[in-house]
Amino acid sequence: EVQLVESGGGLVQAGGSLRLSCAASDLTFDDYVIGWFRQAPGKEREGVSSISSGGSTYYAHSVKGRFTISSANAKNTVYLQMNNLKPEDTAVYSCAVGGPWARLRSDEYQYWGQGTHVTVSS
């Protein structure tokens, strides 16, 4: 079964940067999408960004221009570079694997990691 492990979360001041990593195992298929989602306490889960095995990327409006998703395909690893962080970015960030047409909807993804905490202080 596909498994995902997130890392790189932490506490950072507003305006700072973090890079999250998502390491996937047992990805035996050629075409798929890995997405990043976040959920703050009391709020719905939000799709942040995704990248397909072909390199197509998508971003939520709230993070465009600040976050960059990338992949190290040979290692089945996806990164989320987060710059100019804001307090409203505070959330648990999870990565997930979906089918080749997935974008930013949670129901497009079948496998999920446990999440990593990101806290942005003002």
Side-chain angles (χ1 to χ4, degrees):
E1 181 180 272
V2 174
Q3 296 190 45
L4 304 108
V5 179
E6 303 95 338
S7 62
L11 195 157
V12 64
Q13 292 184 336
S17 299
L18 284 173
R19 188 180 74 160
L20 306 183
S21 298
C22 172
S25 62
D26 293 333
L27 281 178
T28 59
F29 29 83
D30 292 330
D31 297 315
Y32 56 88
V33 172
I34 295 180
W36 283 100
F37 295 80
R38 66 186 182 186
Q39 188 166 26
K43 296 186 178 180
E44 294 183 348
R45 185 160 56 192
E46 174 190 22
V48 176
S49 184
S50 67
I51 185 167
S52 74
S53 52
S56 297
T57 60
Y58 295 90
Y59 296 92
H61 177 74
S62 60
V63 307
K64 284 183 179 178
R66 299 189 297 121
F67 292 8
T68 302
I69 192 168
S70 62
S71 66
N73 202 52
K75 297 181 179 180
N76 295 321
T77 302
V78 168
Y79 305 98
L80 185 68
Q81 179 67 46
M82 306 186 295
N83 297 327
N84 192 25
L85 283 160
K86 303 176 180 180
E88 50 263 46
D89 295 318
T90 296
V92 175
Y93 285 71
S94 301
C95 64
V97 174
W101 307 111
R103 294 188 178 185
L104 295 177
R105 289 176 57 93
S106 296
D107 59 9
E108 297 170 325
Y109 294 80
Q110 290 76 54
Y111 303 96
W112 293 81
Q114 293 299 306
T116 184
H117 291 260
V118 171
T119 301
V120 184
S121 62
S122 60

